[in-house]
Amino acid sequence: MPFNAIFGWIIKKRIHQIELFRKHPVEVQKEWFERLILNGRRTEFGQKYNFGDIENYEDFKRNVPLQDYDDVKDWVTRAVNGETDILWPGETLWFAKSSGTTSDRSKFIPVTKDSLEDCHYKGGKDLLAIYYSHFPSTKLYKGKHLVVGGTAEQNTLRPDSYTGDLSSIILKNLPWWVEIKRIPSRETALMSEWEEKIEKLAEETMDEDVSSISGVPSWTLVLLNRILEKKGKKDIREVWPNLELLMHGGVSFKPYEKEFRKIIPHDDMHYIESYNASEGFFGIQDEIGGDLLLMLDYGIFFEFIPMSEYKGTKSEKVVGIKDVKVGENYAMVISTNGGLWRYIVGDTVRFTSVKPYRVIVSGRTKHYINVFGEELIVDNSDSAIKQACEQTNSLLKDYTACPVYMEEGKQGGHEWIVEFTKEPEDMAVFSKLLDKSLREVNSDYDAKRTSDLTLNFPVVHKARTNLFDDWLKSKNKLGGQHKVPRLSNDRSIVEDILKLKHSTVIDIKQS
């Protein structure tokens, strides 16, 4: 039997286990909770918070406070320095640099052998299992798998330990059945200089038989467009005729979908989203075009804080999965086999189904605008800017937005910086459509915009080429999974970007 067929047969067996937690989610989460507590009793963290006395979820909530990175960084530092049995039994060798922050201070998330094998790798296998279940005649494994992302560096304190993007830690430890089909070379894949890296990626991969790609949409697009340029083609299938799957995550696909379908204009090209963060692998799009199935047997115990009552680590209302409601926005809290306990990830999710549990990633706990009661979240802004681009035949590269504070005699508003790969013919039309779409997807924004009652028409800047890349480079954050925050509740990021030398913008006013 051909290896591709054997591989498909083996990996689809996992579908039966996925079906188990679809049908019995609370029971599966309870089982993992008990396993985590049992392991946690063998750690210094568990001893401090009396894990030996924890018999149920209510005990857990009483004994263990909510945590953010400031609460765990001293524990993590000890693990980085080589101490054992700190947050998880044994020694932790790998530490993922958080990709969710654009501050100058790095955050290091512990990645244990258990979390790598039973969470991150399990997620990758499940993604393929789900794909094979939808397309049993696929020849995916006959071609090469292109991985876009990852930089790694040695931990200066220990020769056998290293840090970097999560994708680099995964790449350096891939199982053989993935490694034999992966491109580019490991040396190229782990390069840290992204402008040079894109060129090397293009050179190494454009003459291969690529059947699948995984990566963050923004950087994957940069690479594909560079390959088309070097090959003198307009359709990526002219370069890779057997390409059939893009596995993406890290940012919303909505703003980039049109550009992908432009350069891959084929109905048999498939896209599957995954929700894999430094802290854990959380979700997979189990139905083509659907929302993310929350993966409940990856060594992660989930809790949720309603955003309507969110107060960070001081939040009082925290619920388990059986008590979440469809349509409500939650901050996600996790306890994991990587050694994080009641850790607030920083992402917000909204449940679209509870039978089974499916979510969309709606934003970040710190990435929103709510100065005037408009409660604008990233899911709103992604949807609105996608509509505006589609209606003006433009293609987005990146954007960010912030509030314009009220001054004496002046109303407040929002200020946007938008960079395009294909600009709209008329920015005034684009701005009006953006405002209109925001009013359609967010009733609070619409109410504040009515008759310019609280919010004026938004100020929209058209950014010069590579403005956002230059800003990220100035923060030593260019490449990988680093990204510009979509929304900010203060003006610091927008003002910082606008201060860059030769920062060309065009202001649009409402006519």
Side-chain angles (χ1 to χ4, degrees):
M1 185 183 292
F3 189 78
N4 186 71
I6 296 173
F7 176 77
W9 177 77
I10 292 172
I11 208 163
K12 283 192 294 184
K13 293 177 66 178
R14 170 62 182 155
I15 293 296
H16 299 295
Q17 295 169 300
I18 294 173
E19 192 59 33
L20 178 67
F21 72 69
R22 279 195 184 112
K23 292 181 178 178
H24 306 286
V26 175
E27 292 82 357
V28 169
Q29 276 283 278
K30 182 176 183 293
E31 180 182 340
W32 270 108
F33 169 77
E34 292 169 352
R35 289 193 205 180
L36 290 168
I37 296 302
L38 193 62
N39 278 280
R41 289 172 181 168
R42 298 158 52 196
T43 68
E44 287 198 32
F45 185 94
Q47 291 169 18
K48 177 177 180 178
Y49 290 106
N50 301 313
F51 275 34
D53 297 332
I54 295 174
E55 299 294 336
N56 53 48
Y57 177 45
E58 293 304 318
D59 291 342
F60 185 54
K61 288 202 290 186
R62 277 193 297 269
N63 284 26
V64 184
L66 293 169
Q67 311 272 314
D68 60 19
Y69 190 76
D70 287 337
D71 297 308
V72 303
K73 65 181 179 181
D74 289 343
W75 297 92
V76 172
T77 298
R78 293 177 62 189
V80 169
N81 290 338
E83 293 187 52
T84 60
D85 302 326
I86 301 301
L87 291 165
W88 191 252
E91 184 180 20
T92 301
L93 295 175
W94 310 302
F95 300 88
K97 280 190 175 180
S98 173
S99 60
T101 177
T102 54
S103 68
D104 294 323
R105 183 185 64 183
S106 294
K107 296 182 181 181
F108 296 96
I109 304 300
V111 179
T112 65
K113 292 180 180 179
D114 287 323
S115 65
L116 198 62
E117 185 64 34
D118 295 332
C119 184
H120 295 292
Y121 285 160
K122 196 172 183 179
K125 287 184 283 188
D126 281 357
L127 195 154
L128 292 173
I130 287 168
Y131 183 74
Y132 269 79
S133 72
H134 283 293
F135 305 103
S137 61
T138 178
K139 301 295 188 293
L140 190 68
Y141 212 74
K142 285 188 173 182
K144 295 294 182 69
H145 175 50
L146 169 58
V147 179
V148 183
T151 60
E153 59 193 64
Q154 198 74 26
N155 178 1
T156 56
L157 298 172
R158 288 189 288 155
D160 59 342
S161 174
Y162 48 83
T163 66
D165 293 344
L166 172 68
S167 56
S168 72
I169 294 172
I170 291 174
L171 189 147
K172 287 173 75 74
N173 295 278
L174 283 173
W176 68 268
W177 54 271
V178 177
E179 187 64 18
I180 61 173
K181 289 292 186 177
R182 183 194 59 77
I183 57 171
S185 66
R186 185 172 292 187
E187 180 184 12
T188 298
L190 295 175
M191 287 175 64
S192 58
E193 178 52 58
W194 270 84
E195 286 127 324
E196 181 185 354
K197 181 174 182 173
I198 287 293
E199 198 67 23
K200 288 282 289 182
L201 281 168
E203 291 171 1
E204 285 191 25
T205 63
M206 64 187 185
D207 294 319
E208 296 280 0
D209 178 19
V210 174
S211 58
S212 63
I213 305 171
S214 65
V216 176
S218 52
W219 281 104
T220 302
L221 264 181
V222 171
L223 173 62
L224 296 186
N225 281 317
R226 181 61 183 135
I227 289 172
L228 289 174
E229 182 181 354
K230 291 174 76 71
K231 284 287 194 177
K233 306 293 185 182
K234 293 186 177 180
D235 181 345
I236 206 70
R237 280 270 182 89
E238 296 179 72
V239 182
W240 298 323
N242 295 313
L243 179 65
E244 62 174 284
L245 174 63
L246 172 67
M247 296 170 278
H248 61 88
V251 297
S252 171
F253 192 58
K254 292 176 187 176
Y256 305 101
E257 184 176 1
K258 183 179 178 182
E259 174 74 349
F260 274 103
R261 296 195 184 278
K262 176 187 173 185
I263 62 175
I264 317 175
H266 304 277
D267 291 339
D268 59 348
M269 178 67 191
H270 306 296
Y271 302 87
I272 295 184
E273 182 180 1
S274 64
Y275 180 14
N276 191 14
S278 301
E279 297 85 356
F281 201 125
F282 304 133
I284 298 175
Q285 201 172 37
D286 64 323
E287 294 182 343
I288 302 302
D291 298 319
L292 293 159
L293 178 70
L294 205 60
M295 308 306 284
L296 301 178
D297 66 347
Y298 284 7
I300 300 173
F301 179 71
F302 291 97
E303 299 175 84
F304 302 92
I305 306 171
M307 283 304 292
S308 59
E309 302 182 50
Y310 182 75
K311 299 175 184 176
T313 56
K314 304 299 182 184
S315 300
E316 296 178 2
K317 184 173 183 180
V318 187
V319 299
I321 196 165
K322 69 182 179 65
D323 294 317
V324 298
K325 298 176 181 178
V326 170
E328 188 161 352
N329 241 16
Y330 294 95
M332 196 158 69
V333 181
I334 57 172
S335 299
T336 78
N337 50 10
L340 297 174
W341 300 99
R342 303 203 79 202
Y343 184 83
I344 300 174
V345 179
D347 290 337
T348 62
V349 298
R350 185 172 76 247
F351 283 87
T352 59
S353 167
V354 292
K355 293 182 179 180
Y357 286 94
R358 291 196 181 95
V359 300
I360 63 168
V361 182
S362 53
R364 299 278 295 171
T365 55
K366 296 182 179 179
H367 294 179
Y368 59 89
I369 303 177
N370 192 33
V371 171
F372 310 103
E374 65 273 48
E375 297 188 16
L376 190 70
I377 60 175
V378 174
D379 184 52
N380 299 155
S381 59
D382 278 347
S383 296
I385 208 160
K386 177 187 177 184
Q387 291 182 44
C389 284
E390 288 177 347
Q391 293 176 56
T392 57
N393 196 30
S394 56
L395 297 173
L396 177 78
K397 182 177 180 183
D398 218 332
Y399 76 90
T400 191
C402 74
V404 177
Y405 300 129
M406 288 181 175
E407 298 177 0
E408 187 175 350
K410 294 182 180 180
Q411 300 296 87
H414 291 172
E415 186 168 5
W416 294 68
I417 307 175
V418 186
E419 184 177 340
F420 300 92
T421 55
K422 179 184 177 184
E423 295 179 359
E425 290 185 7
D426 190 329
M427 275 297 294
V429 172
F430 175 87
S431 301
K432 290 177 183 177
L433 289 169
L434 174 61
D435 180 59
K436 178 176 180 289
S437 297
L438 285 169
R439 298 182 70 162
E440 290 172 351
V441 299
N442 184 312
S443 59
D444 291 315
Y445 178 86
D446 180 53
K448 305 301 184 296
R449 282 282 297 117
T450 300
S451 302
D452 295 335
L453 183 64
T454 303
L455 294 176
N456 276 329
F457 185 80
V459 177
V460 181
H461 303 299
K462 183 177 71 175
R464 65 164 170 83
T465 301
N466 294 329
L467 177 60
F468 288 111
D469 287 352
D470 289 346
W471 182 74
L472 286 169
K473 187 186 294 186
S474 74
K475 302 296 181 184
N476 197 29
K477 294 289 183 179
L478 183 64
Q481 297 179 331
H482 301 302
K483 44 195 176 283
V484 177
R486 299 300 207 194
L487 303 176
S488 304
N489 208 38
D490 61 54
R491 295 188 51 79
S492 57
I493 290 174
V494 165
E495 290 183 353
D496 197 31
I497 293 172
L498 292 176
K499 287 177 184 176
L500 283 180
K501 188 176 182 181
H502 306 308
S503 177
T504 304
V505 297
I506 296 175
D507 298 345
I508 306 299
K509 303 297 183 182
Q510 184 177 26
S511 60

